Amino acid sequence: MGANFLKRPVLKSVPTGRAVASAVAEHADCCAIRVPQIHDLANRLRFAPEQGRIWLDDQRMMLMHVSSLGALREELIGSLGKEAARGVITRIGYQAGARDAEMAKKLRSSSSTYEHFLAGPQLVSLEGIVHCEPIALDIDVGSGRYFGDFALIDCAEAEAHVASFGIGEESSCWMLVGYACGYTSTFMGRPILWREVECRAMGHDRCRVVGRPVEEWGDDAREDLRFLQIGDFVKWTPAPPNQPPVTARLAARLAGQENSFGMVGISSGFNNVCHLVKKVAPTEATVLFLGESGVGKEIFSHNLHRLSNRAKGPFIAVNCAAIPEQLTESELFGVEKGGFTGATVSRPGRFERAHGGTLFLDEIGTLSYTAQGKLLRALQEGEIERVGDSRVRKVDVRVIAATNVNLRDAVKDGSFREDLFYRLNVFPIRVPPLRDRRDDIPLLMNWFMQRSCKKNGKTITGFRERAVDALINYSWPGNVREMENLIERAVILADDGGALDICHLFTTGEELNSTTFIVQKNGALGPAADMIETDAPTAEGGLPKLADTEARMLRLALAEANGNLSLAARLLSISRPTLAYRLRKHKIAVE
């Protein structure tokens, strides 16, 4: 694509030397910059006060007092010194900018180059950091050409710095400069360095930043590069090297990529379980996983075995609920030939097969009282007897158990042996349900989508904003297992190359409750977009009727576009005449 060069008129002198002044003169054509509407980004900002969460697309955000930001800067400068503090703050901004660039690619991938790029300046405005006004912008991604000149109006970072330190001789918008470097470098696929050439902390009436490729700055870049630790930044490449730079490693860690457990998660609940598993794994202690069905107890058990000293031994899993009561003893301890009618051969049980390794007893709360007594003896003595045999066999087995019932309550009502409970409850680990670790939901959504696409040979671009809202607010009674199945179903239903929407996800009568609010066009908070009604008429099998689903999608698009038919048609990826025809078909009036 050719250059999209845009310029606001008349630039006066720039007090940062010849490099910036000559660059501005070089890009001095007068063209009005058309800043795109911000509504597509604002609709991605959701407030969920009942959950204590704010979301921007699939990233959790938070509000922060500007005075608190100033106090944090004071603490960092006082404890680390100005140089180190500036480096830390700049790199935090870099990471945030890189993340927002990925979001902009997803939200405005079909826009023109400059509209796509200007999502970054609009995002920092939406996040309450600063209002950006483009002075000059010259972009050609194909050739790698870039020049940007932006005025920063009413910058919160400069305000916090001035409140703490007053007017000085150095610029103060360190985080914003880092943000611009991270955003533009990710967008362009090459390292772009920004420098602050005017700042309110230096007595100017506004702040102003200029950005261009690192090599074009020459010696002027040396001072700024050191705050990014950027020997790596100068050598930056879009293809990840064997050892990525610090900022890339930080971004990857926060992105919730699959960890050493083969799972994703960033919530405190998830990380607490991982911590406990790593702590107990090297020991021989019996572990009891507690939690609802579908939270991932068996996966954590597999990983506990893998991290243990028994990793080279077998891992044998038993679903106690799936074993008929009369066969429990033979399944666990084995049977000798002729031990009971139909036992034509001798067969080792699960304890023997797990010798030297780990035995995982899932849903242990379903064992009969008799089977519990025999299991207790095996755990205490480390020996078993096959059914129909008089020989005692020693077994070296580490037992991991899991249950989705409250064993203490089961002990009280007499359905579970108290002595067995205390024998199993050596090191209990409670895995929280998915509704209590909602920070993990966006990560799991994308992880399962990618896995399902690979499994089913499909290409899906992502999730529509109302689908994200519904998934974050859904109660998830089936936890992670339910999400995995739900998203795989959605991937199968969605068109190849399209995005996942509510009509693909919630097709079997799930109860949806929206407790989030979005920023409306007048700046006020209003309820998030309506979800598909769970009591709508359904066809056979529980799926919503196609006509009802289509009518609801049409109404949602009209509401999103405020009645603008052309915009509503674009939102639905259909032509305006097709939209008009479908509105008449469903007798939907346009106000």
Side-chain angles (χ1 to χ4, degrees):
M1 181 178 290
N4 284 294
F5 171 74
L6 307 149
K7 171 96 172 65
R8 290 181 74 234
V10 188
L11 270 180
K12 301 212 176 163
S13 62
V14 183
T16 53
R18 238 175 251 175
V20 174
S22 61
V24 172
E26 180 184 347
H27 301 278
D29 295 339
C30 271
C31 300
I33 296 180
R34 295 162 312 174
V35 178
Q37 294 291 316
I38 199 174
H39 303 314
D40 57 338
L41 305 179
N43 285 342
R44 293 282 179 165
L45 183 62
R46 298 174 183 82
F47 294 81
E50 294 182 9
Q51 301 172 9
R53 286 178 168 83
I54 301 171
W55 298 94
L56 180 56
D57 194 44
D58 58 1
Q59 301 299 315
R60 186 175 180 179
M61 311 293 286
M62 70 176 190
L63 293 175
M64 184 179 188
H65 295 286
V66 174
S67 58
S68 298
L69 175 63
L72 176 61
R73 290 171 66 98
E74 284 189 60
E75 289 285 341
L76 288 174
I77 292 171
S79 58
L80 302 178
K82 182 179 288 187
E83 293 285 304
R86 180 175 175 180
V88 169
I89 293 171
T90 302
R91 291 190 292 275
I92 289 173
Y94 183 99
Q95 184 268 333
R99 295 299 299 274
D100 277 2
E102 294 299 329
M103 188 190 309
K105 288 180 182 179
K106 180 169 59 175
L107 299 183
R108 288 190 178 167
S109 57
S110 60
S111 304
S112 67
T113 301
Y114 86 92
E115 287 181 336
H116 187 175
F117 175 81
L118 287 176
Q122 289 180 313
L123 281 168
V124 291
S125 177
L126 186 65
E127 293 162 11
I129 300 171
V130 69
H131 171 62
C132 298
E133 287 190 358
I135 298 172
L137 186 58
D138 186 0
I139 305 176
D140 188 341
V141 177
S143 67
R145 186 176 74 251
Y146 182 84
F147 177 82
D149 188 354
F150 282 79
L152 308 180
I153 311 300
D154 200 18
C155 176
E157 191 174 7
E159 178 183 327
H161 188 89
V162 170
S164 298
F165 300 100
I167 301 297
E169 297 180 355
E170 297 181 1
S171 61
S172 67
C173 301
W174 306 332
M175 189 178 296
L176 267 173
V177 168
Y179 180 97
C181 291
Y183 183 90
T184 314
S185 298
T186 303
F187 181 89
M188 291 295 296
R190 63 177 303 192
I192 305 296
L193 176 65
W194 288 78
R195 302 183 67 203
E196 189 171 16
V197 298
E198 296 178 16
C199 184
R200 289 176 61 194
M202 299 168 62
H204 298 105
D205 57 358
R206 65 177 184 180
C207 302
R208 180 177 162 204
V209 289
V210 173
R212 49 199 315 212
V214 171
E215 64 274 11
E216 294 183 14
W217 283 103
D219 293 340
D220 289 344
R222 291 179 182 175
E223 179 182 354
D224 301 82
L225 285 175
R226 73 180 191 275
F227 298 112
L228 289 162
Q229 280 183 358
I230 299 289
D232 290 329
F233 179 80
V234 177
K235 303 170 188 174
W236 188 88
T237 170
N242 293 332
Q243 179 63 24
V246 173
T247 47
R249 294 199 299 274
L250 177 61
R253 185 165 69 248
L254 293 179
Q257 295 177 348
E258 183 175 332
N259 63 11
S260 60
F261 275 42
M263 306 168 72
V264 296
I266 199 172
S267 68
S268 58
F270 173 83
N271 285 317
N272 183 59
V273 175
C274 292
H275 171 73
L276 292 174
V277 167
K278 290 176 182 177
K279 277 287 187 182
V280 75
T283 72
E284 289 296 310
T286 301
V287 177
L288 177 62
F289 283 99
L290 308 169
E292 298 176 5
S293 177
V295 294
K297 298 186 292 293
E298 185 169 356
I299 296 177
F300 280 112
S301 300
H302 272 284
N303 282 285
L304 193 154
H305 169 72
R306 184 176 57 82
L307 296 171
S308 73
N309 298 326
R310 296 173 175 264
K312 294 182 180 179
F315 178 88
I316 304 298
V318 184
N319 187 340
C320 299
I323 305 175
E325 182 178 347
Q326 62 273 22
L327 296 179
T328 300
E329 188 176 357
S330 62
E331 284 294 319
L332 291 178
F333 309 122
V335 62
E336 279 295 297
K337 181 179 179 180
F340 55 79
T341 303
T344 57
V345 293
S346 298
R347 178 169 54 84
R350 305 299 177 94
F351 268 88
E352 286 184 74
R353 289 165 56 190
H355 182 74
T358 303
L359 177 65
F360 174 58
L361 302 174
D362 197 9
E363 298 191 53
I364 197 168
T366 63
L367 282 178
S368 67
Y369 209 80
T370 302
Q372 292 174 30
K374 294 178 179 179
L375 175 61
L376 176 63
R377 180 177 181 276
L379 294 176
Q380 288 178 334
E381 305 299 330
E383 56 186 33
I384 55 100
E385 287 184 24
R386 291 183 181 178
V387 176
D389 193 10
S390 58
R391 174 186 166 194
V392 175
R393 289 175 167 84
K394 286 286 185 180
V395 288
D396 175 23
V397 173
R398 181 184 190 175
V399 172
I400 302 173
T403 179
N404 58 10
V405 300
N406 190 321
L407 292 185
R408 290 188 184 275
D409 290 344
V411 169
K412 290 178 182 178
D413 64 27
S415 62
F416 200 84
R417 293 179 61 109
E418 185 176 18
D419 47 4
L420 177 59
F421 169 69
Y422 288 117
R423 181 64 184 81
L424 293 172
N425 198 44
V426 178
F427 197 92
I429 300 177
R430 182 171 297 279
V431 184
L434 188 55
R435 63 181 172 275
D436 290 343
R437 47 188 181 102
R438 294 186 186 271
D439 291 349
D440 295 339
I441 291 176
L443 307 177
L444 289 166
M445 286 163 46
N446 287 288
W447 192 46
F448 286 136
M449 182 191 70
Q450 292 167 12
R451 286 180 54 182
S452 296
C453 287
K454 184 176 181 181
K455 176 181 176 181
N456 295 286
K458 297 193 74 172
T459 301
I460 300 296
T461 59
F463 295 84
R464 294 197 181 277
E465 59 192 75
R466 52 181 167 260
V468 173
D469 186 75
L471 289 167
I472 289 174
N473 285 283
Y474 183 52
S475 60
W476 297 111
N479 291 295
V480 179
R481 185 185 295 123
E482 181 185 13
M483 175 181 282
E484 181 178 13
N485 296 336
L486 185 147
I487 290 180
E488 182 170 5
R489 179 174 71 226
V491 167
I492 294 170
L493 289 173
D495 293 333
D496 201 30
L500 301 185
D501 211 334
I502 298 174
C503 59
H504 306 128
L505 293 160
F506 299 99
T507 61
T508 55
E510 293 89 350
E511 294 184 6
L512 302 178
N513 295 307
S514 179
T515 59
T516 62
F517 302 86
I518 62 173
V519 180
Q520 298 176 330
K521 293 185 178 181
N522 62 1
L525 292 181
D530 293 335
M531 304 299 172
I532 290 180
E533 298 88 342
T534 56
D535 58 353
T538 58
E540 293 184 8
L543 291 173
K545 290 182 178 179
L546 180 59
D548 296 300
T549 300
E550 183 179 70
R552 284 192 291 274
M553 294 294 288
L554 292 170
R555 291 190 181 96
L556 285 170
L558 282 173
E560 179 71 18
N562 283 338
N564 184 316
L565 293 184
S566 297
L567 177 56
R570 289 197 296 273
L571 290 173
L572 293 169
S573 299
I574 59 177
S575 67
R576 192 181 187 283
T578 300
L579 175 63
Y581 164 76
R582 294 186 183 278
L583 291 173
R584 291 194 301 272
K585 173 184 173 183
H586 293 285
K587 299 179 181 179
I588 299 174
V590 181
E591 297 180 0

